Amino acid sequence: MKNRKKINYEDDYLLFKNRLSIKMLLMMLCSLLVIAGIYLFVLKGNFANAVIAILEHFVYQDRDEAAVVYLKTFKRYEFWLFLLAVLGVFFVIFRMYVDNVSKYFKEINRGIDSLVSEDAQDIALPAELASTERKINSIRHTLTKRKTDAELAEQRKNDLVMYLAHDLKTPLSSVIGYLTLLRDEGQISDELKTRYLSISLDKAERLEDLFNEFFEITRFNLSNITLVYGKINLTRMLEQLAYEFKPMLAGKNLKLEFEMQPDIFVSCDANKMQRVFDNLLRNAVSYCNADTSIKITAEQIEDHVLIKVINEGNTIPQERLERIFEQFYRLDISRSSATGGAGLGLAIAKEIVELHHGQITAHSADGFTCFEVSLPLVGKS
């Protein structure tokens, strides 16, 4: 593809050079013809006869006298007059050539002005400037896409902050309400007191989760992820991580199923990679149907290891699946505080996996969603 573009650019530049060369040759030919005409007219007697005829007709009324005046005035400077005429011809031809070349610069400047003014139409230049036209239009398309992407990202971020701020208010109001009841109610039973404290603690923990999401946004945008490599047993990491998810799994009566080869070793940043699978499991638990199973598979295939996290739930439409790894994108359109996070988990997972020279993809069909992570083995990172 790159070689094809290079060939196209070379063809365009060759066309441009050929056009200019042809125009230069035509102008040189015209200048030679004009100089030849001047030479024949001035040095071969035609000019002399014309001047003498004019003097004879309008001034002296005598050919001999007119010839004498011509010899004294024009003949003496005949060579210089010819040289001046030749220089004049070359100047005119050169000026015409410069004007012709400057026309291309004017067209390029017009294209740049159109680019700066953010004109929606594609920029059209002469055929000789086809490569420049493509480059300017490519820049225009890139700038337009970047502007659109930036506006969409900013809008998603603003929406996210708005929804999170709304979510913060709800549990905070509950905490304040129940604590107020505990303070003001003098004759409250121990059972009711325990219930109010339990609800307040749940809401406070939800507040902590929301604050963590805010910090996640800040960290994701203000810092770069750096890796500290080490040799880890991927199988044990996944088993340990699954054990830590038992409370979340119990909340929806979910089960974890494993199909993993024993003792798969990879070279990676253990903390960052644990974060990847933590995000994938959280996502699976959030969008998995209750009373179903989440399946984790891991197998070594040639020089890499393939990990899959499969859950049963609503099929994700293709248009949403294509955006699932975007920053701040959430499948939970309602932005409910009960499910879904800041929309950064999968975006961060993708960045970490790619920093490890791996790949992460998502597939969804027939009520099952599968996330696949491919990582190089030890020594391949």
Side-chain angles (χ1 to χ4, degrees), residues 79-95:
F79 173 76
W80 297 107
L81 290 173
F82 174 74
L83 183 60
L84 183 63
V86 170
L87 292 176
V89 170
F90 275 117
F91 175 78
V92 172
I93 297 297
F94 177 75
R95 182 57 186 268

Side-chain angles (χ1 to χ4, degrees), residues 104-236:
Y104 296 113
F105 290 99
K106 290 179 181 178
E107 290 293 326
I108 294 174
N109 286 333
R110 181 181 60 81
I112 294 174
D113 291 338
S114 179
L115 181 65
V116 172
S117 64
E118 299 182 355
D119 191 349
Q121 299 295 328
D122 276 352
I123 298 161
L125 297 178
E128 300 93 319
L129 300 175
S131 61
T132 305
E133 175 186 306
R134 283 198 298 270
K135 286 183 178 180
I136 293 178
N137 284 322
S138 177
I139 294 172
R140 189 184 67 80
H141 295 155
T142 301
L143 292 177
T144 301
K145 185 178 184 302
R146 286 179 180 176
K147 181 181 178 181
T148 302
D149 291 344
E151 290 175 350
L152 289 175
E154 185 66 23
Q155 184 62 45
R156 287 199 301 270
K157 185 174 180 180
N158 291 339
D159 291 343
L160 174 68
V161 172
M162 182 182 68
Y163 289 123
L164 287 177
H166 179 270
D167 288 346
L168 282 172
K169 184 178 179 181
T170 303
L172 182 60
S173 299
S174 297
V175 171
I176 293 173
Y178 283 109
L179 291 179
T180 301
L181 287 173
L182 288 172
R183 184 195 65 183
D184 296 341
E185 289 287 341
Q187 303 296 326
I188 188 171
S189 65
D190 291 339
E191 181 182 353
L192 196 56
K193 184 185 296 185
T194 302
R195 181 183 175 189
Y196 286 173
L197 286 173
S198 177
I199 294 175
S200 298
L201 180 60
D202 289 341
K203 298 300 181 182
E205 288 175 347
R206 177 56 187 164
L207 273 175
E208 183 183 23
D209 292 339
L210 291 171
F211 277 119
N212 288 335
E213 289 183 3
F214 276 118
F215 289 131
E216 193 81 352
I217 295 170
T218 304
R219 286 196 307 176
F220 189 79
N221 285 285
L222 299 182
S223 64
N224 293 322
I225 299 176
T226 57
L227 302 179
V228 179
Y229 280 92
K231 185 178 179 181
I232 68 164
N233 188 321
L234 183 65
T235 305
R236 290 185 181 178

Side-chain angles (χ1 to χ4, degrees), residues 227-262:
L227 302 179
V228 179
Y229 280 92
K231 185 178 179 181
I232 68 164
N233 188 321
L234 183 65
T235 305
R236 290 185 181 178
M237 173 194 281
L238 292 173
E239 290 174 346
Q240 181 180 355
L241 187 62
Y243 179 81
E244 296 173 359
F245 267 77
K246 279 188 175 181
M248 291 185 63
L249 296 170
K252 298 178 71 172
N253 194 27
L254 300 175
K255 294 182 180 180
L256 270 180
E257 297 179 357
F258 293 97
E259 286 186 11
M260 299 188 296
Q261 295 177 358

Side-chain angles (χ1 to χ4, degrees), residues 350-361:
K350 182 175 186 292
E351 182 170 350
I352 293 173
V353 170
E354 290 180 348
L355 283 173
H356 283 85
H357 306 283
Q359 290 183 334
I360 182 170
T361 56

